[in-house]
Amino acid sequence: MMKYSAILTALCCGLLAVAAEKPNILICTDPSLPPEVVSAARELLKLENARPLAALAACGAGEKAEAAESASLLPDSAFNRAAFNHLVVIGRPDRDPLQAKVRGHQAKVDPADREFYRLGYGRMRGDIGYVECDWNPFLYSEKVKNNPFTTVVVKISGTSDAGVLAALNAFREGLLNGVVAVGTPERPETSLLDYLPSPVPPPVFPDRIGPLTLAGYTQPDGVEYRAWLEWGGAEPKQLWRIKYLADGVYNDVSPAAWVNGLHRLAYGNAVTLAEFETPEAAKRVKEALMKRRGAKAGKMGGLDAVVFDQPTDEAFDRSYGKVAYVTRGRHVAAVSLPENEWPAAAEALRRLP
């Protein structure tokens, strides 16, 4: 998290103008989309048809969904609409000008060669979809001085129309950040951090834990798999970060909104679940974590736990809570929910298969 401090400082200090109204959720598409993708995108206008959008509405971050043509948000006259609403941008970057504008630098999505690349997944060729949640770059710009709430952009793209549709369907089921391959992709080259996306969703967790709403899950990449190997001595067989949103999470632009939001590195208010080959391997990982600097023995809802403070740095001058690591069978769970919700989290973990 340390290397993101400069970004956080810029994001939280660079705001310029104040929006007067609460945001809506704009479902942004381009006329080039094929009918089956248009039809699936239209389903998002009912927020209950996509778990992440329903969660945004439930926590007070979005009033309703509206349709928008992607190109209509690009003129200067449309800046306020683009900045002060949440954006769900669906399309290919070679056809959709808004998708190209907001795509950022985390992943390469190249429909011309049907290739995808992201560190931690590696280079793949085929029909590949990609979902990424991020800050809304229109809001976090030099044009905005100050604002009482945060808006996000959800980028749903792919190397082909089939990839876009696969990503869109996965988002509706709860995928917040990750890769969806249609069939088995080719590997033009390989690296130690290659990770073939798994279509397996996480085990079922409660829709609500106290005031927190289940928003979906992030599909951690090969970098995180290797981090578990380094810290715990074993690489997980499967890894998910199950994300909850607190009421009012986006009612400010502080670092807390960053920690507890929807993007890939938002570790707050989450259950990161690692599945190992055997219960013995999971137990060894927990024992290894106990030996790390800062580790404390504790309890989480009656379960034995290894507890750490969430980290601080130059952007986070105070910890936003604790992270408890517990084992249940073949699973190790890292729980960063508020401590008063740990008993409910423990009950959910006790129901794991």
Side-chain angles (χ1 to χ4, degrees):
M1 189 175 290
M2 296 274 290
K3 64 182 178 180
Y4 298 95
S5 299
I7 298 173
L8 280 170
T9 302
L11 292 177
C12 297
C13 299
L15 297 172
L16 297 182
V18 178
E21 299 179 357
K22 288 186 177 181
N24 291 323
I25 300 171
L26 305 186
I27 310 302
C28 309
T29 57
D30 186 78
S32 66
L33 287 172
E36 59 271 23
V37 181
V38 171
S39 178
R42 192 178 298 121
E43 291 294 314
L44 301 186
L45 294 173
K46 294 181 179 180
L47 298 179
E48 64 270 22
N49 287 336
R51 178 178 286 280
L53 302 186
L56 282 174
C59 74
E63 293 283 284
K64 61 181 180 179
E66 298 177 1
E69 186 171 323
S70 292
S72 72
L73 297 180
L74 294 177
D76 289 343
S77 59
F79 178 84
N80 282 358
R81 189 174 188 226
F84 300 130
N85 290 289
H86 304 292
L87 308 179
V88 181
V89 187
I90 303 163
R92 288 167 40 170
D94 59 332
R95 294 178 180 171
D96 187 323
L98 183 60
Q99 182 73 241
K101 183 90 169 175
V102 302
R103 66 178 174 176
H105 304 287
Q106 295 298 315
K108 177 184 177 182
V109 181
D110 183 2
D113 295 326
R114 293 174 64 243
E115 282 198 359
F116 172 87
Y117 173 81
R118 182 187 167 97
L119 179 65
Y121 291 102
R123 187 177 168 203
M124 292 181 274
R125 183 182 294 133
D127 295 318
I128 299 162
Y130 182 58
V131 182
E132 180 181 300
C133 293
D134 204 352
W135 296 110
N136 183 336
F138 291 95
L139 179 67
Y140 289 94
S141 71
E142 293 180 352
K143 293 184 179 181
V144 182
K145 263 189 186 174
N146 172 2
N147 201 57
F149 58 79
T150 289
T151 60
V152 300
V153 60
V154 181
K155 294 168 270 189
I156 300 175
S157 64
T159 61
S160 64
D161 292 334
V164 173
L165 181 60
L168 176 52
N169 288 333
F171 172 74
R172 290 178 60 185
E173 295 300 318
L175 180 64
L176 300 170
N177 299 278
V179 178
V180 185
V182 181
T184 302
E186 300 175 33
R187 287 282 188 189
E189 61 185 19
T190 59
S191 75
L192 287 175
L193 290 177
D194 287 351
Y195 169 65
L196 184 64
S198 169
V200 178
V204 175
F205 270 70
D207 291 339
R208 296 276 296 185
I209 291 182
L212 306 171
T213 302
L214 178 64
Y217 67 98
T218 285
Q219 178 195 79
D221 58 32
V223 176
E224 289 195 46
Y225 277 76
R226 300 293 289 187
W228 279 83
L229 175 61
E230 179 182 350
W231 270 62
E235 187 169 320
K237 174 183 174 183
Q238 185 83 38
L239 191 59
W240 306 271
R241 184 153 46 258
I242 299 149
K243 188 70 190 181
Y244 284 84
L245 292 181
D247 294 344
V249 61
Y250 285 132
N251 287 353
D252 63 25
V253 291
S254 73
W258 167 272
V259 170
N260 295 322
L262 292 178
H263 63 88
R264 175 175 293 279
L265 294 172
Y267 293 101
N269 285 340
V271 178
T272 300
L273 190 65
E275 179 184 343
F276 294 89
E277 288 289 347
T278 64
E280 292 73 25
K283 182 180 178 181
R284 287 195 299 270
V285 168
K286 182 185 168 189
E287 291 170 350
L289 291 171
M290 192 68 230
K291 298 176 183 177
R292 304 295 299 193
R293 183 177 180 181
K296 302 169 187 174
K299 293 284 186 179
M300 195 203 79
L303 300 177
D304 291 334
V306 179
V307 181
F308 294 87
D309 290 326
Q310 289 193 36
T312 61
D313 58 25
E314 62 272 21
F316 299 94
D317 58 3
R318 65 182 179 86
S319 175
Y320 282 93
K322 298 184 182 298
V323 182
Y325 289 81
V326 300
T327 56
R328 290 300 296 169
R330 294 178 290 110
H331 298 92
V332 177
V335 179
S336 61
L337 302 175
E339 289 182 71
N340 60 335
E341 305 302 337
W342 283 7
E347 282 306 305
L349 292 171
R350 287 188 177 99
R351 292 194 292 269
L352 288 175

